Amino acid sequence: MCSRPEPPEPLRRVAVVGGTHGNEMSGVCLARYWLRAPGELQRPSFSAVPVLANPAATAACRRYVDCDLNRAFTSAFLTARAHPDDPYEVTRARELNQLLGPKASGQAFDFVLDLHNTTASMGTCLVAESSHDVFAMHLCHHLQLQSPELPCRVFLYQLPGEESYSVHSVAKSGLGLELGPQPQGVLRADLLARMRALVAAALDFIQLFNQGPGGRDGLRHQASHTGTAFPAFEMEAYRKVSSVDFPRTETGDLAGTVHPQLQDRDFEPLRPGAPIFQMFGGKDVLYEGESTVYPVFINEAAYYEKGIAFFQTEKLTFSVPALPGLAPAPSPAP
Amino acid sequence: MTYHVVEDPIKKVAIFGGTHGNELTGVFLVKHWLENGAEIQRTGLEVKPFITNPRAVKKCTRYIDCDLNRVFDPGNLGKRMSEDLPYEVRRAQEINHLFGPKDSEDSYDIIFDLHNTTSNMGCTLILEDSRNDFLIQMFHYIKTSLAPLPCYIYLIEHPSLKYATTRSIAKYPVGIEVGPQPQGVLRADILDQMRKMIKYALDFIHNFNEGKEFPPCAIEVYKIMEKVDYPRNENGEIAAIIHPNLQTGNHCALRILCF
């Protein structure tokens, strides 16, 4: 994702997207609610637009109708000529690209927040393409500071050389919120409340950024000695390295499942020799990599058909540069 | 005074998986036992593993046209076979032919129907008839064998809420429900629990056939009283969700959170 243009502008066009996957209920319910009552999404300097990304899948309470919407935002899909036989989600991606994009253009939305759930025990996870989006990294940092008692991890999912494909890649900057564990089609009050609070905190951060140096009283960010509102910091994140499939029979059926010692251990170190799968006949399959990795999305229901039992990530720490704040403004925009 | 009940030995047992195609523990246990059935064999007993809804299993969905576990009533079972019938009704008639017919002498003695739930129900055995002494003894045996792992007994005997299950075509229908497990996910711990429940059930049948006597026992059951739907808006969408206190099992207050 490109870094913010210089000089920085306030973020005016912000969207909060739910129902990109129609059976991930926190986002579905919040998007439906905000479409009826958007007041909560308003801030003095902007109003975030709620979007129900995949209405047909949401109505059927399925992940997708024809294909995964959150993989459909590549230039190949977006720029190809429309055809009546196109998959539903490809047509929908083009509509969303017109609404929130066009991707990689000056008219694209400033920021898109995309709400997801997972059946994996990932707690609160912030999903970004890479560390290059400085604004998104500062937002993650802000969200992490909001609830220090609750682990809130950053997952970087873009592989080297890979084109971006997600809903939020359409905008100039964006972030996915991934909360779990929650079964598909099930709505849990605790995750719903947490998702709602995270969205509120994210919009508060954008408001904070938009306000410029005038109005930071009572909020956590301290101006550094150089006068920057959003100083540089060190961020810890988990970067995707590869995926590991389930053990399968010759016909492609499962031959075993995630080992009890790996189940629910998202973000915990997986060391060479540790068990990862348990075959139906009872045998253990061990992790045979050379180095410690950090598995995420362990036993996510939607990934069985993608041939993914879990992702291997590396844990890294990197510097995030200061985020240039806005010049002081006389008053918030109407 | 000794109280004798003479029962015929159990001969034909079936284990059903995939009645709901996305409840994976039963699907994979049955598939495994179809490949290698050693674990479910007992001398003198025919134990047949069987996938009841293969099309739903292939699509990893609960059902294709309608819920298979609701259509084993005489009305649906008696309909004239036709391509226009919902897939599950046609399938129910096939299953009734293979393992029933329901309410006849030829039907299977026992059918275990394997299910998962997203709810936090642990290991649950489902009883359809409170006067079925044989199954009450079996459930007592399974519960005792599983201890200290809790095992709950859910009684669905109710004039209007009892439903026509796939297993109801057998003389002794047993529902096995283990959760919480998301649909479309296979957890090793849940698999292990369900596997143990089947093992103890088959051990009980074997012991019974061998003439073992089971002294009088009592079991605690949770009996269905009513169904509670979510509050809904004018479009039928849910307008409120299970309160966090109820979600985690605190039953002191039954409240609904509105938003």
Side-chain angles (χ1 to χ4, degrees), chain A residues 248-271:
Chain A
R248 293 183 185 271
T249 65
E250 321 79 65
T251 49
D253 244 348
L254 295 188
T257 193
V258 171
H259 197 276
Q261 283 176 40
L262 177 61
Q263 181 69 51
D264 302 330
R265 299 248 163 93
D266 301 73
F267 297 108
E268 291 180 34
L270 173 65
R271 300 188 170 89

Side-chain angles (χ1 to χ4, degrees), chain A:
Chain A
M1 200 68 257
C2 47
S3 53
R4 299 203 46 74
E6 300 283 359
E9 300 276 315
L11 277 67
R12 298 281 181 226
R13 297 166 78 226
V14 176
V16 184
V17 180
T20 295
H21 296 134
N23 54 11
E24 293 176 13
M25 301 305 292
S26 304
V28 165
C29 279
L30 287 171
R32 277 181 171 154
Y33 177 68
W34 288 325
L35 283 165
R36 290 198 309 272
E40 219 167 285
L41 302 181
Q42 288 163 6
R43 295 293 182 277
S45 62
F46 72 99
S47 288
V49 171
V51 177
L52 188 71
N54 196 335
T58 299
C61 197
R62 296 166 48 156
R63 182 179 177 84
Y64 56 78
V65 174
D66 294 326
C67 64
D68 192 335
L69 180 61
N70 213 26
R71 302 289 184 277
F73 290 85
T74 59
S75 58
F77 282 128
L78 294 177
T79 59
R81 203 146 58 101
H83 194 272
D85 289 340
D86 280 335
Y88 172 81
E89 278 80 11
V90 169
T91 305
R92 185 63 186 146
R94 294 189 187 121
E95 285 170 14
L96 289 167
N97 191 41
Q98 279 196 310
L99 174 72
L100 304 173
K103 183 172 175 176
S105 78
Q107 296 97 57
F109 262 53
D110 296 310
F111 197 87
V112 164
L113 206 51
D114 189 26
L115 310 186
H116 287 267
N117 294 113
T118 173
T119 60
S121 291
M122 287 171 66
T124 306
C125 181
L126 309 175
V127 181
E129 272 168 28
S130 74
S131 55
H132 302 145
D133 186 345
V134 175
F135 185 84
M137 291 299 104
H138 275 267
L139 171 56
C140 287
H141 188 55
H142 176 86
L143 293 176
Q144 286 174 323
L145 292 172
Q146 290 311 294
S147 33
E149 75 290 352
L150 214 61
C152 178
R153 286 117 169 177
V154 174
F155 171 55
L156 305 175
Y157 67 86
Q158 195 171 36
L159 293 172
E162 191 182 48
E163 189 192 351
S164 61
Y165 48 71
S166 66
V167 167
H168 62 81
S169 72
V170 158
K172 294 182 180 132
S173 178
L175 196 66
L177 299 186
E178 186 88 60
L179 261 49
Q182 180 169 268
Q184 297 172 336
V186 169
L187 187 62
R188 289 185 63 104
D190 50 2
L191 294 196
L192 187 75
R194 206 187 314 154
M195 183 79 90
R196 203 172 182 173
L198 279 168
V199 172
L203 299 185
D204 289 343
F205 177 79
I206 296 172
Q207 170 62 27
L208 185 66
F209 175 80
N210 285 353
Q211 259 163 218
R216 287 190 327 276
D217 299 341
L219 293 158
R220 290 183 197 230
H221 285 278
Q222 304 285 318
S224 74
H225 63 281
T226 64
T228 318
F230 308 101
F233 63 94
E234 292 287 288
M235 165 143 274
E236 186 181 83
Y238 297 80
R239 183 162 62 195
K240 189 202 289 183
V241 170
S242 61
S243 63
V244 179
D245 194 7
F246 293 94
R248 293 183 185 271
T249 65
E250 321 79 65
T251 49
D253 244 348
L254 295 188
T257 193
V258 171
H259 197 276
Q261 283 176 40
L262 177 61
Q263 181 69 51
D264 302 330
R265 299 248 163 93
D266 301 73
F267 297 108
E268 291 180 34
L270 173 65
R271 300 188 170 89
I276 51 175
F277 298 115
Q278 190 171 71
M279 305 297 277
F280 297 135
K283 214 162 62 87
D284 284 354
V285 174
L286 308 181
Y287 167 56
E288 282 170 354
E290 307 254 293
S291 55
T292 297
V293 291
Y294 294 79
V296 304
F297 282 106
I298 300 173
N299 219 352
E300 157 58 53
Y303 288 173
Y304 280 47
E305 67 175 21
K306 297 189 200 283
I308 297 166
F310 60 94
F311 287 124
Q312 295 183 138
T313 73
E314 54 181 356
K315 185 156 112 166
L316 54 134
T317 308
F318 52 91
S319 300
V320 178
L323 184 66
L326 299 177
S331 61

